[in-house]
Amino acid sequence: MPPPRGRSNRERTGVSLLKLPFLVALALAIAFSGGIASSRYALDHVRRFDALKIGPWEAWPDLQTVRADPYELAYRAREGRILLGEAEGLAFTATTDSDGEGLSGRCRYIIAGTTPAARLWTLRVADRQGRPFATRTDVLPRALHSHDVLRDSEGSFRILVSREAQAGNWIALDHAGPVEFVLTLFDTPAAGNAGLIKLAMPTIRRIGCGDA
Amino acid sequence: MRSLVLAIAIGLVGAAIVHVAIIMGIPDLAPRTAWARVSEFGAAGRFRELTETGKSSSGLAEMNPFLRSAVCVFDATDAPIHVSDEGAPPFWSLSVFDPQSNEVFSMNDRSAVERRVDLTLATSTQMTAISRAKPETPSKSILVELPQPSGYVVLRTIAEDATWDRTASRFLSSAECAPLALP
């Protein structure tokens, strides 16, 4: 004699009744978590995939223009900064040295070479939000400008970034955590550059960390 | 099993839609855009110098220790805006932005007449009026057509060391961006 089929049918309907809400919930969870996570990732990494890159230096010549893409527009709105216009200048940021290692506030670096043509440039150390470590009146040099920098006979410079003071070009850096270097070129043809000019930026070499 | 795969696929398509919606929505929904921050200054007809990092309430700060920046919010609905300054430091630059923070116009002292700040911001209807009344308007002033009547101007100069501080702040505080009386 076969077992009564009514009960097993009812069980099966019960399972599929639970299955549909589960599948809907799964689809919604993937949609929202995936959408939010990918947007956050894109906004945090947008600099990496749409920048003018020269060695470790990155700049964003289109960020303040109408040519900015939707990711740049979102980044710009979220950051809420006042940006440099094309005729004003162009800011390059480095978060790694020339070997691709992240810049640390406890290491010593040598920034050497030349910059693209500009009327004036400034080089400063900052935290990863671009904020300086001290006020303008601080006794230690936290930044240098092109009229202040000593150069060799061929016009290239060599700047030491370290905690200990040093003769020659020196920027003070002593910070627990990751840092960035910001090189801003003022009145430069590089700002309107569409890859026509070969741009040379200085290299960043790490020469040691900590007290060693 | 097939319905599970289908649910995941629908979820991924949904994730793409949510992603696009967030990215496209941020420029309109972000609470602290540059425009929202400068609007707190109000359209006063004068430039306001940005303070150093950590000393400003609006969250806007000039992070470069050698740079001095000032912002003027304008509204050219009723009259064109005349941006001018008496001083001429060794380097100055300015940019005009619309409320979406798109650059409308930028220049520096090298591209200016006699290296002075002198430009007139006008909407397209005001441009027509100005060109009709041409003889009376100051001809040296650079005419900039605004896509939208409001926006902000940023004026910058360099202070290489402390001795330049007074020159720089005098230059920035003497700058004006006042409505121009149309003939």
PDB file of all heavy atoms in Angstrom, chain B residues 86-115:
ATOM      1  N   GLU B  86      43.702  96.182  -7.236  1.00  0.00           N
ATOM      2  CA  GLU B  86      44.701  97.202  -7.526  1.00  0.00           C
ATOM      3  C   GLU B  86      46.103  96.614  -7.598  1.00  0.00           C
ATOM      4  O   GLU B  86      46.921  97.026  -8.407  1.00  0.00           O
ATOM      5  CB  GLU B  86      44.661  98.284  -6.432  1.00  0.00           C
ATOM      6  CG  GLU B  86      43.406  99.141  -6.465  1.00  0.00           C
ATOM      7  CD  GLU B  86      43.280  99.879  -7.789  1.00  0.00           C
ATOM      8  OE1 GLU B  86      44.210 100.619  -8.137  1.00  0.00           O
ATOM      9  OE2 GLU B  86      42.260  99.682  -8.467  1.00  0.00           O
ATOM     10  N   GLY B  87      46.379  95.681  -6.727  1.00  0.00           N
ATOM     11  CA  GLY B  87      47.744  95.171  -6.605  1.00  0.00           C
ATOM     12  C   GLY B  87      48.148  94.265  -7.754  1.00  0.00           C
ATOM     13  O   GLY B  87      47.316  93.781  -8.515  1.00  0.00           O
ATOM     14  N   ALA B  88      49.454  94.065  -7.886  1.00  0.00           N
ATOM     15  CA  ALA B  88      49.970  93.138  -8.885  1.00  0.00           C
ATOM     16  C   ALA B  88      51.202  92.437  -8.325  1.00  0.00           C
ATOM     17  O   ALA B  88      52.328  92.816  -8.597  1.00  0.00           O
ATOM     18  CB  ALA B  88      50.301  93.872 -10.174  1.00  0.00           C
ATOM     19  N   PRO B  89      50.988  91.431  -7.493  1.00  0.00           N
ATOM     20  CA  PRO B  89      52.136  90.703  -6.938  1.00  0.00           C
ATOM     21  C   PRO B  89      52.855  89.908  -8.042  1.00  0.00           C
ATOM     22  O   PRO B  89      52.320  89.768  -9.137  1.00  0.00           O
ATOM     23  CB  PRO B  89      51.500  89.774  -5.905  1.00  0.00           C
ATOM     24  CG  PRO B  89      50.100  89.599  -6.343  1.00  0.00           C
ATOM     25  CD  PRO B  89      49.719  90.858  -7.047  1.00  0.00           C
ATOM     26  N   PRO B  90      54.044  89.375  -7.770  1.00  0.00           N
ATOM     27  CA  PRO B  90      54.815  88.683  -8.809  1.00  0.00           C
ATOM     28  C   PRO B  90      54.061  87.503  -9.440  1.00  0.00           C
ATOM     29  O   PRO B  90      54.296  87.169 -10.584  1.00  0.00           O
ATOM     30  CB  PRO B  90      56.053  88.181  -8.060  1.00  0.00           C
ATOM     31  CG  PRO B  90      56.151  89.025  -6.863  1.00  0.00           C
ATOM     32  CD  PRO B  90      54.781  89.470  -6.509  1.00  0.00           C
ATOM     33  N   PHE B  91      53.197  86.871  -8.666  1.00  0.00           N
ATOM     34  CA  PHE B  91      52.394  85.792  -9.237  1.00  0.00           C
ATOM     35  C   PHE B  91      50.996  85.857  -8.650  1.00  0.00           C
ATOM     36  O   PHE B  91      50.833  85.984  -7.448  1.00  0.00           O
ATOM     37  CB  PHE B  91      52.996  84.411  -8.918  1.00  0.00           C
ATOM     38  CG  PHE B  91      52.125  83.253  -9.364  1.00  0.00           C
ATOM     39  CD1 PHE B  91      52.226  82.749 -10.648  1.00  0.00           C
ATOM     40  CD2 PHE B  91      51.174  82.693  -8.511  1.00  0.00           C
ATOM     41  CE1 PHE B  91      51.415  81.709 -11.078  1.00  0.00           C
ATOM     42  CE2 PHE B  91      50.361  81.648  -8.932  1.00  0.00           C
ATOM     43  CZ  PHE B  91      50.480  81.160 -10.218  1.00  0.00           C
ATOM     44  N   TRP B  92      49.995  85.814  -9.529  1.00  0.00           N
ATOM     45  CA  TRP B  92      48.641  85.572  -9.043  1.00  0.00           C
ATOM     46  C   TRP B  92      47.922  84.737 -10.084  1.00  0.00           C
ATOM     47  O   TRP B  92      48.297  84.699 -11.260  1.00  0.00           O
ATOM     48  CB  TRP B  92      47.877  86.855  -8.720  1.00  0.00           C
ATOM     49  CG  TRP B  92      47.658  87.824  -9.844  1.00  0.00           C
ATOM     50  CD1 TRP B  92      48.374  88.963 -10.086  1.00  0.00           C
ATOM     51  CD2 TRP B  92      46.666  87.766 -10.886  1.00  0.00           C
ATOM     52  NE1 TRP B  92      47.894  89.601 -11.205  1.00  0.00           N
ATOM     53  CE2 TRP B  92      46.850  88.889 -11.716  1.00  0.00           C
ATOM     54  CE3 TRP B  92      45.641  86.866 -11.175  1.00  0.00           C
ATOM     55  CZ2 TRP B  92      46.046  89.141 -12.831  1.00  0.00           C
ATOM     56  CZ3 TRP B  92      44.839  87.114 -12.293  1.00  0.00           C
ATOM     57  CH2 TRP B  92      45.046  88.237 -13.109  1.00  0.00           C
ATOM     58  N   SER B  93      46.903  84.023  -9.650  1.00  0.00           N
ATOM     59  CA  SER B  93      46.093  83.260 -10.594  1.00  0.00           C
ATOM     60  C   SER B  93      44.668  83.254 -10.077  1.00  0.00           C
ATOM     61  O   SER B  93      44.424  83.464  -8.886  1.00  0.00           O
ATOM     62  CB  SER B  93      46.617  81.834 -10.729  1.00  0.00           C
ATOM     63  OG  SER B  93      46.406  81.115  -9.538  1.00  0.00           O
ATOM     64  N   LEU B  94      43.725  83.080 -10.982  1.00  0.00           N
ATOM     65  CA  LEU B  94      42.335  82.992 -10.539  1.00  0.00           C
ATOM     66  C   LEU B  94      41.566  82.011 -11.393  1.00  0.00           C
ATOM     67  O   LEU B  94      41.935  81.727 -12.534  1.00  0.00           O
ATOM     68  CB  LEU B  94      41.654  84.368 -10.526  1.00  0.00           C
ATOM     69  CG  LEU B  94      41.266  85.108 -11.799  1.00  0.00           C
ATOM     70  CD1 LEU B  94      39.974  84.579 -12.395  1.00  0.00           C
ATOM     71  CD2 LEU B  94      41.062  86.574 -11.470  1.00  0.00           C
ATOM     72  N   SER B  95      40.512  81.453 -10.797  1.00  0.00           N
ATOM     73  CA  SER B  95      39.620  80.540 -11.502  1.00  0.00           C
ATOM     74  C   SER B  95      38.187  80.920 -11.180  1.00  0.00           C
ATOM     75  O   SER B  95      37.884  81.322 -10.058  1.00  0.00           O
ATOM     76  CB  SER B  95      39.842  79.098 -11.051  1.00  0.00           C
ATOM     77  OG  SER B  95      41.040  78.606 -11.545  1.00  0.00           O
ATOM     78  N   VAL B  96      37.309  80.783 -12.172  1.00  0.00           N
ATOM     79  CA  VAL B  96      35.882  80.989 -11.966  1.00  0.00           C
ATOM     80  C   VAL B  96      35.225  79.617 -12.062  1.00  0.00           C
ATOM     81  O   VAL B  96      35.489  78.867 -13.013  1.00  0.00           O
ATOM     82  CB  VAL B  96      35.302  81.934 -13.036  1.00  0.00           C
ATOM     83  CG1 VAL B  96      33.826  82.184 -12.784  1.00  0.00           C
ATOM     84  CG2 VAL B  96      36.070  83.241 -13.070  1.00  0.00           C
ATOM     85  N   PHE B  97      34.408  79.271 -11.067  1.00  0.00           N
ATOM     86  CA  PHE B  97      33.735  77.972 -11.051  1.00  0.00           C
ATOM     87  C   PHE B  97      32.231  78.179 -11.038  1.00  0.00           C
ATOM     88  O   PHE B  97      31.736  79.157 -10.478  1.00  0.00           O
ATOM     89  CB  PHE B  97      34.126  77.171  -9.810  1.00  0.00           C
ATOM     90  CG  PHE B  97      35.560  76.746  -9.775  1.00  0.00           C
ATOM     91  CD1 PHE B  97      36.498  77.492  -9.083  1.00  0.00           C
ATOM     92  CD2 PHE B  97      35.977  75.596 -10.429  1.00  0.00           C
ATOM     93  CE1 PHE B  97      37.833  77.107  -9.047  1.00  0.00           C
ATOM     94  CE2 PHE B  97      37.305  75.202 -10.402  1.00  0.00           C
ATOM     95  CZ  PHE B  97      38.230  75.961  -9.711  1.00  0.00           C
ATOM     96  N   ASP B  98      31.497  77.225 -11.630  1.00  0.00           N
ATOM     97  CA  ASP B  98      30.035  77.242 -11.519  1.00  0.00           C
ATOM     98  C   ASP B  98      29.635  76.465 -10.249  1.00  0.00           C
ATOM     99  O   ASP B  98      30.498  75.891  -9.580  1.00  0.00           O
ATOM    100  CB  ASP B  98      29.384  76.713 -12.812  1.00  0.00           C
ATOM    101  CG  ASP B  98      29.613  75.229 -13.034  1.00  0.00           C
ATOM    102  OD1 ASP B  98      30.070  74.549 -12.097  1.00  0.00           O
ATOM    103  OD2 ASP B  98      29.341  74.747 -14.142  1.00  0.00           O
ATOM    104  N   PRO B  99      28.336  76.437  -9.881  1.00  0.00           N
ATOM    105  CA  PRO B  99      27.957  75.760  -8.627  1.00  0.00           C
ATOM    106  C   PRO B  99      28.285  74.262  -8.610  1.00  0.00           C
ATOM    107  O   PRO B  99      28.391  73.666  -7.542  1.00  0.00           O
ATOM    108  CB  PRO B  99      26.443  75.991  -8.547  1.00  0.00           C
ATOM    109  CG  PRO B  99      26.223  77.250  -9.296  1.00  0.00           C
ATOM    110  CD  PRO B  99      27.202  77.223 -10.426  1.00  0.00           C
ATOM    111  N   GLN B 100      28.452  73.649  -9.766  1.00  0.00           N
ATOM    112  CA  GLN B 100      28.854  72.237  -9.800  1.00  0.00           C
ATOM    113  C   GLN B 100      30.372  72.088  -9.671  1.00  0.00           C
ATOM    114  O   GLN B 100      30.894  70.978  -9.811  1.00  0.00           O
ATOM    115  CB  GLN B 100      28.383  71.572 -11.101  1.00  0.00           C
ATOM    116  CG  GLN B 100      26.890  71.298 -11.170  1.00  0.00           C
ATOM    117  CD  GLN B 100      26.089  72.570 -11.404  1.00  0.00           C
ATOM    118  OE1 GLN B 100      26.439  73.391 -12.257  1.00  0.00           O
ATOM    119  NE2 GLN B 100      25.036  72.763 -10.638  1.00  0.00           N
ATOM    120  N   SER B 101      31.073  73.209  -9.458  1.00  0.00           N
ATOM    121  CA  SER B 101      32.529  73.248  -9.346  1.00  0.00           C
ATOM    122  C   SER B 101      33.242  72.915 -10.647  1.00  0.00           C
ATOM    123  O   SER B 101      34.375  72.452 -10.642  1.00  0.00           O
ATOM    124  CB  SER B 101      33.032  72.335  -8.219  1.00  0.00           C
ATOM    125  OG  SER B 101      32.608  72.835  -6.984  1.00  0.00           O
ATOM    126  N   ASN B 102      32.565  73.135 -11.779  1.00  0.00           N
ATOM    127  CA  ASN B 102      33.255  73.048 -13.060  1.00  0.00           C
ATOM    128  C   ASN B 102      33.962  74.358 -13.321  1.00  0.00           C
ATOM    129  O   ASN B 102      33.406  75.429 -13.084  1.00  0.00           O
ATOM    130  CB  ASN B 102      32.259  72.797 -14.202  1.00  0.00           C
ATOM    131  CG  ASN B 102      31.728  71.388 -14.201  1.00  0.00           C
ATOM    132  OD1 ASN B 102      32.494  70.437 -14.109  1.00  0.00           O
ATOM    133  ND2 ASN B 102      30.428  71.260 -14.279  1.00  0.00           N
ATOM    134  N   GLU B 103      35.198  74.246 -13.850  1.00  0.00           N
ATOM    135  CA  GLU B 103      35.949  75.449 -14.170  1.00  0.00           C
ATOM    136  C   GLU B 103      35.304  76.147 -15.362  1.00  0.00           C
ATOM    137  O   GLU B 103      35.103  75.548 -16.405  1.00  0.00           O
ATOM    138  CB  GLU B 103      37.389  75.052 -14.501  1.00  0.00           C
ATOM    139  CG  GLU B 103      38.265  76.208 -14.888  1.00  0.00           C
ATOM    140  CD  GLU B 103      39.653  75.740 -15.323  1.00  0.00           C
ATOM    141  OE1 GLU B 103      40.137  74.737 -14.792  1.00  0.00           O
ATOM    142  OE2 GLU B 103      40.235  76.393 -16.201  1.00  0.00           O
ATOM    143  N   VAL B 104      34.953  77.419 -15.188  1.00  0.00           N
ATOM    144  CA  VAL B 104      34.382  78.201 -16.281  1.00  0.00           C
ATOM    145  C   VAL B 104      35.495  78.949 -17.005  1.00  0.00           C
ATOM    146  O   VAL B 104      35.510  79.064 -18.229  1.00  0.00           O
ATOM    147  CB  VAL B 104      33.343  79.208 -15.728  1.00  0.00           C
ATOM    148  CG1 VAL B 104      32.848  80.128 -16.823  1.00  0.00           C
ATOM    149  CG2 VAL B 104      32.183  78.470 -15.084  1.00  0.00           C
ATOM    150  N   PHE B 105      36.457  79.445 -16.226  1.00  0.00           N
ATOM    151  CA  PHE B 105      37.517  80.284 -16.770  1.00  0.00           C
ATOM    152  C   PHE B 105      38.674  80.279 -15.785  1.00  0.00           C
ATOM    153  O   PHE B 105      38.458  80.231 -14.582  1.00  0.00           O
ATOM    154  CB  PHE B 105      36.987  81.714 -16.952  1.00  0.00           C
ATOM    155  CG  PHE B 105      37.999  82.694 -17.462  1.00  0.00           C
ATOM    156  CD1 PHE B 105      38.330  82.708 -18.804  1.00  0.00           C
ATOM    157  CD2 PHE B 105      38.619  83.599 -16.613  1.00  0.00           C
ATOM    158  CE1 PHE B 105      39.270  83.605 -19.289  1.00  0.00           C
ATOM    159  CE2 PHE B 105      39.556  84.498 -17.091  1.00  0.00           C
ATOM    160  CZ  PHE B 105      39.876  84.495 -18.436  1.00  0.00           C
ATOM    161  N   SER B 106      39.897  80.299 -16.284  1.00  0.00           N
ATOM    162  CA  SER B 106      41.034  80.464 -15.378  1.00  0.00           C
ATOM    163  C   SER B 106      42.125  81.249 -16.091  1.00  0.00           C
ATOM    164  O   SER B 106      42.218  81.232 -17.320  1.00  0.00           O
ATOM    165  CB  SER B 106      41.565  79.116 -14.890  1.00  0.00           C
ATOM    166  OG  SER B 106      42.221  78.430 -15.926  1.00  0.00           O
ATOM    167  N   MET B 107      42.914  81.956 -15.318  1.00  0.00           N
ATOM    168  CA  MET B 107      43.996  82.759 -15.905  1.00  0.00           C
ATOM    169  C   MET B 107      45.033  83.026 -14.826  1.00  0.00           C
ATOM    170  O   MET B 107      44.829  82.751 -13.646  1.00  0.00           O
ATOM    171  CB  MET B 107      43.452  84.094 -16.432  1.00  0.00           C
ATOM    172  CG  MET B 107      42.957  85.017 -15.338  1.00  0.00           C
ATOM    173  SD  MET B 107      42.260  86.562 -15.945  1.00  0.00           S
ATOM    174  CE  MET B 107      43.714  87.330 -16.645  1.00  0.00           C
ATOM    175  N   ASN B 108      46.189  83.575 -15.253  1.00  0.00           N
ATOM    176  CA  ASN B 108      47.176  84.038 -14.280  1.00  0.00           C
ATOM    177  C   ASN B 108      47.706  85.384 -14.739  1.00  0.00           C
ATOM    178  O   ASN B 108      47.298  85.891 -15.786  1.00  0.00           O
ATOM    179  CB  ASN B 108      48.282  83.004 -14.075  1.00  0.00           C
ATOM    180  CG  ASN B 108      49.018  82.688 -15.362  1.00  0.00           C
ATOM    181  OD1 ASN B 108      49.547  83.579 -16.018  1.00  0.00           O
ATOM    182  ND2 ASN B 108      49.019  81.416 -15.738  1.00  0.00           N
ATOM    183  N   ASP B 109      48.583  85.983 -13.939  1.00  0.00           N
ATOM    184  CA  ASP B 109      49.005  87.359 -14.215  1.00  0.00           C
ATOM    185  C   ASP B 109      49.663  87.521 -15.585  1.00  0.00           C
ATOM    186  O   ASP B 109      49.591  88.585 -16.181  1.00  0.00           O
ATOM    187  CB  ASP B 109      49.948  87.846 -13.104  1.00  0.00           C
ATOM    188  CG  ASP B 109      51.162  86.957 -12.965  1.00  0.00           C
ATOM    189  OD1 ASP B 109      50.979  85.764 -12.690  1.00  0.00           O
ATOM    190  OD2 ASP B 109      52.289  87.449 -13.146  1.00  0.00           O
ATOM    191  N   ARG B 110      50.291  86.456 -16.095  1.00  0.00           N
ATOM    192  CA  ARG B 110      50.947  86.562 -17.406  1.00  0.00           C
ATOM    193  C   ARG B 110      49.940  86.797 -18.523  1.00  0.00           C
ATOM    194  O   ARG B 110      50.271  87.412 -19.524  1.00  0.00           O
ATOM    195  CB  ARG B 110      51.715  85.261 -17.704  1.00  0.00           C
ATOM    196  CG  ARG B 110      52.965  85.115 -16.894  1.00  0.00           C
ATOM    197  CD  ARG B 110      54.214  85.423 -17.711  1.00  0.00           C
ATOM    198  NE  ARG B 110      55.379  85.529 -16.854  1.00  0.00           N
ATOM    199  CZ  ARG B 110      56.275  84.566 -16.712  1.00  0.00           C
ATOM    200  NH1 ARG B 110      56.137  83.430 -17.368  1.00  0.00           N
ATOM    201  NH2 ARG B 110      57.313  84.740 -15.932  1.00  0.00           N
ATOM    202  N   SER B 111      48.722  86.267 -18.363  1.00  0.00           N
ATOM    203  CA  SER B 111      47.750  86.429 -19.438  1.00  0.00           C
ATOM    204  C   SER B 111      46.852  87.647 -19.215  1.00  0.00           C
ATOM    205  O   SER B 111      45.908  87.867 -19.958  1.00  0.00           O
ATOM    206  CB  SER B 111      46.904  85.150 -19.585  1.00  0.00           C
ATOM    207  OG  SER B 111      46.540  84.635 -18.330  1.00  0.00           O
ATOM    208  N   ALA B 112      47.148  88.440 -18.182  1.00  0.00           N
ATOM    209  CA  ALA B 112      46.305  89.597 -17.888  1.00  0.00           C
ATOM    210  C   ALA B 112      46.864  90.867 -18.527  1.00  0.00           C
ATOM    211  O   ALA B 112      48.055  90.958 -18.799  1.00  0.00           O
ATOM    212  CB  ALA B 112      46.209  89.801 -16.380  1.00  0.00           C
ATOM    213  N   VAL B 113      45.973  91.847 -18.753  1.00  0.00           N
ATOM    214  CA  VAL B 113      46.400  93.137 -19.275  1.00  0.00           C
ATOM    215  C   VAL B 113      47.119  93.878 -18.160  1.00  0.00           C
ATOM    216  O   VAL B 113      46.565  94.077 -17.070  1.00  0.00           O
ATOM    217  CB  VAL B 113      45.178  93.948 -19.753  1.00  0.00           C
ATOM    218  CG1 VAL B 113      45.630  95.274 -20.356  1.00  0.00           C
ATOM    219  CG2 VAL B 113      44.367  93.147 -20.757  1.00  0.00           C
ATOM    220  N   GLU B 114      48.342  94.308 -18.401  1.00  0.00           N
ATOM    221  CA  GLU B 114      49.173  94.996 -17.406  1.00  0.00           C
ATOM    222  C   GLU B 114      49.261  94.214 -16.097  1.00  0.00           C
ATOM    223  O   GLU B 114      49.452  94.797 -15.036  1.00  0.00           O
ATOM    224  CB  GLU B 114      48.635  96.408 -17.134  1.00  0.00           C
ATOM    225  CG  GLU B 114      48.819  97.335 -18.310  1.00  0.00           C
ATOM    226  CD  GLU B 114      48.043  98.627 -18.146  1.00  0.00           C
ATOM    227  OE1 GLU B 114      47.416  98.816 -17.089  1.00  0.00           O
ATOM    228  OE2 GLU B 114      48.063  99.440 -19.078  1.00  0.00           O
ATOM    229  N   ARG B 115      49.112  92.914 -16.163  1.00  0.00           N
ATOM    230  CA  ARG B 115      49.210  91.997 -15.015  1.00  0.00           C
ATOM    231  C   ARG B 115      48.207  92.286 -13.906  1.00  0.00           C
ATOM    232  O   ARG B 115      48.380  91.849 -12.767  1.00  0.00           O
ATOM    233  CB  ARG B 115      50.632  92.019 -14.436  1.00  0.00           C
ATOM    234  CG  ARG B 115      51.687  91.653 -15.476  1.00  0.00           C
ATOM    235  CD  ARG B 115      53.067  91.827 -14.897  1.00  0.00           C
ATOM    236  NE  ARG B 115      53.447  90.626 -14.174  1.00  0.00           N
ATOM    237  CZ  ARG B 115      54.266  89.707 -14.660  1.00  0.00           C
ATOM    238  NH1 ARG B 115      54.794  89.852 -15.842  1.00  0.00           N
ATOM    239  NH2 ARG B 115      54.575  88.651 -13.953  1.00  0.00           N
TER     240      ARG B 115
END
